[in-house]
Amino acid sequence: MEEVLAKYVGRLAPSPTGALHLGNVRTFMIAWLSARSRGGRVIMRMEDLDHPKDKPGAAAGALEDLRWLGFDWDEEYVQSRRRAIYRDALAALRAKGLVYPCVCSRRDVEAAQSAPHQGEQLHYPGTCRGRFADWRAARDFAGRDPCWRFRVEPGTAVSFVDAFAGEYSQDVAGKLGDFPLARDEDGAGYTLAATVDDMLMGVTEVVRGDDLLAATPAQILVARALAPSGVRPSYCHVPLVVGRDGRRLAKRHGDTRIASYRAAGVEPGAIIGRLAASCGWCEPGENASLGDLLGVFSLETIPHKPVVLV
Ligand code: GLU
């Protein structure tokens, strides 16, 4: 009988909303090393459902930058080509009565499309819960396609142990209420698409920035609803790179785009070395390749506070 070993599957999930910068790469480096240091697989998943924030050319640019830095992966997916899969998942949730149509404001609905980076989540008071007999009634009322919300029963809370951030609990009913999953039938947002993909792609550990820690309980609820006895990934949320002002790294902090370093003749080893030093895996000023770091990768040495690199 063939022995089936539980295999680590990790993923890199860039959103093509801008050029790849030092901050994104630090998180991807940790995710990639977490997988490869255990002989695991790496999935590349382009999360390009966020029109109009997605920028033309950003997806191809991110892949090119990552390859130049030495990243590799075993499978590649593009979310915009997987809409039928998300539609089916939504239909499954409808059939279980776990989602309902909602005609509330555009802002609310738009909030569903992007990954809700820290502080961006809204609480929904449940206005449309039980309001319409079915999708058609909601559509007739609004004169446009309603969005779909996930039903969060009163008192619902989720707790899990994060490999980096430790114990985390959220009163999902109190903090989010019924959260949005899709702009319309075909308009899966981040929570639905990322959850379905993590399940179908067999992801065993999600390593990402800790601005998405608060988005995780909603994903756990959706995963449980879709596959009550399915295997869940574990989570590892690592601190973000911030500017000196303590805000998430962005253009205002100067040009930290990988493409700009590359154009200026900076070697990939200098970039990886700098990021690795910020994780305690080499000395500041040392060059390193991803391969060099396989043996020294550890979550233990990563500082538990946001990192300032510029
Ligand atoms: N695509 C998301 C982002 O770049 C990350 C989502 C995730 O890792 O779950 O913000």
Side-chain angles (χ1 to χ4, degrees):
M1 199 175 78
E2 204 187 325
E3 198 184 353
V4 182
L5 294 175
K7 185 90 161 131
Y8 183 106
V9 181
R11 73 337 183 249
L12 310 177
S15 290
T17 49
L20 205 72
H21 58 62
L22 283 183
N24 316 126
V25 173
R26 184 176 188 269
T27 306
F28 289 146
M29 175 182 75
I30 298 169
W32 188 92
L33 287 169
S34 187
R36 294 296 197 216
S37 65
R38 287 179 253 201
R41 296 176 65 74
V42 175
I43 285 170
M44 167 57 68
R45 182 167 86 217
M46 192 53 68
E47 301 206 325
D48 61 343
L49 295 178
D50 193 8
H51 305 294
K53 276 200 209 155
D54 291 346
K55 303 272 181 315
L63 298 185
E64 197 181 323
D65 290 347
L66 287 169
R67 285 201 188 93
W68 177 74
L69 286 166
F71 287 86
D72 63 359
W73 45 89
D74 306 293
E75 291 165 50
E76 198 171 309
Y77 300 94
V78 178
Q79 285 191 326
S80 58
R81 298 196 198 125
R82 297 171 58 80
R83 290 188 203 277
I85 294 172
Y86 312 135
R87 196 189 319 129
D88 287 350
L90 186 65
L93 294 171
R94 279 175 74 175
K96 294 182 183 193
L98 294 174
V99 292
Y100 63 84
C102 164
V103 299
C104 291
S105 81
R106 183 171 291 270
R107 179 170 171 247
D108 244 18
V109 176
E110 277 172 3
Q113 297 313 303
S114 322
H117 295 285
Q118 206 157 34
E120 290 173 8
Q121 286 167 305
L122 308 167
H123 181 268
Y124 181 68
T127 320
C128 290
R129 181 191 262 243
R131 184 172 174 195
F132 302 105
D134 55 18
W135 177 86
R136 188 165 297 278
R139 187 174 200 290
D140 290 347
F141 176 88
R144 58 177 162 79
D145 282 358
C147 81
W148 289 94
R149 279 187 188 274
F150 186 83
R151 200 179 271 275
V152 179
E153 295 312 327
T156 303
V158 170
S159 300
F160 63 97
V161 179
D162 187 275
F164 190 83
E167 274 185 41
Y168 184 78
S169 301
Q170 187 182 85
D171 164 12
V172 185
K175 186 175 161 63
L176 298 182
D178 298 340
F179 52 83
L181 283 186
R183 188 182 53 229
D184 54 40
E185 216 83 49
D186 266 324
Y190 164 70
T191 304
L192 181 60
T195 306
V196 167
D197 281 350
D198 285 339
M199 289 171 65
L200 294 181
M201 294 170 188
V203 170
T204 61
E205 188 183 45
V206 171
V207 180
R208 61 188 172 196
D210 63 5
D211 55 332
L212 289 170
L213 187 56
T216 305
Q219 295 176 22
I220 292 175
L221 289 178
V222 174
R224 279 187 200 154
L226 283 167
S229 55
V231 179
R232 313 256 172 270
S234 56
Y235 293 92
C236 175
H237 288 88
V238 295
L240 293 182
V241 175
V242 297
R244 286 189 201 288
D245 56 2
R247 293 164 74 192
R248 184 189 168 84
L249 198 62
K251 272 193 202 128
R252 61 179 165 268
H253 300 115
D255 189 357
T256 68
R257 289 175 299 177
I258 303 308
S260 306
Y261 292 122
R262 186 168 157 192
V266 177
E267 292 295 319
I271 296 174
I272 296 295
R274 185 167 166 202
L275 295 172
S278 80
C279 295
W281 302 330
C282 68
E283 293 303 319
E286 260 182 63
N287 279 16
S289 70
L290 288 172
D292 295 337
L293 299 172
L294 286 170
V296 290
F297 166 78
S298 159
L299 294 178
E300 304 284 308
T301 52
I302 302 178
H304 275 261
K305 51 182 183 355
V307 200
V308 182
L309 285 176
V310 284

